[in-house]
Amino acid sequence: VQLQASGGGSVQAGGSLRLSCAASGRTFSNYPMGWFHQAPGKEREFVTAINWNGGSTLHADSVKGRFTISRDNANNTVYLQMNSLKPEDTAVYYCAARSRNIVVVSRRLTDYDYWGQGTQVTVSS
């Protein structure tokens, strides 16, 4: 599976962005997908994840009520809608796919096997 993230950019606080992650490979629809972010000088952190059919999601407490993950299996794409953005959301955002234990949606970085290249999100105050 190859993942290509896009949609990042610069916005003011309170604004919105939608990230996309396009996946190659016929088994995409079987895999839980996740979004992580990494700010300068910090470790990569969990943001949100979704199961294979969109019926189950997890969110970090910091993004609950602001970020929404969704997927379109017909088009091999997962989305991250980010609303009410804050300066502390500034980071490189990565999408990831989990190919093992695929019935479980995970927050753990090490549970994901495939990673996209990242897209920069910058939120100014």
Side-chain angles (χ1 to χ4, degrees):
V1 175
Q2 292 187 326
L3 304 174
Q4 180 76 32
S6 63
S10 297
V11 297
Q12 291 191 328
S16 298
L17 283 173
R18 188 174 83 154
L19 307 184
S20 299
C21 177
S24 64
R26 293 179 296 172
T27 54
F28 166 82
S29 60
N30 295 335
Y31 294 165
M33 299 291 296
W35 285 97
F36 293 76
H37 68 195
Q38 187 167 17
K42 295 187 176 181
E43 294 185 350
R44 195 170 298 188
E45 296 178 335
F46 172 76
V47 177
T48 184
I50 190 167
N51 76 330
W52 71 276
N53 68 353
S56 177
T57 60
L58 292 174
H59 294 81
D61 288 344
S62 60
V63 306
K64 283 181 180 177
R66 300 189 300 123
F67 290 11
T68 302
I69 188 171
S70 62
R71 67 190 297 160
D72 179 352
N73 286 342
N75 291 301
N76 282 7
T77 303
V78 64
Y79 301 100
L80 178 62
Q81 178 66 45
M82 304 187 294
N83 298 329
S84 302
L85 282 161
K86 304 175 181 180
E88 51 263 44
D89 295 320
T90 295
V92 177
Y93 283 72
Y94 298 89
C95 58
R98 183 180 190 189
S99 63
R100 297 165 288 124
N101 296 326
I102 60 174
V103 296
V104 178
V105 186
S106 175
R107 302 172 180 266
R108 299 198 311 178
L109 186 149
T110 54
D111 284 342
Y112 290 82
D113 307 295
Y114 301 98
W115 292 84
Q117 85 290 358
T119 185
Q120 176 71 46
V121 171
T122 303
V123 185
S124 58
S125 57

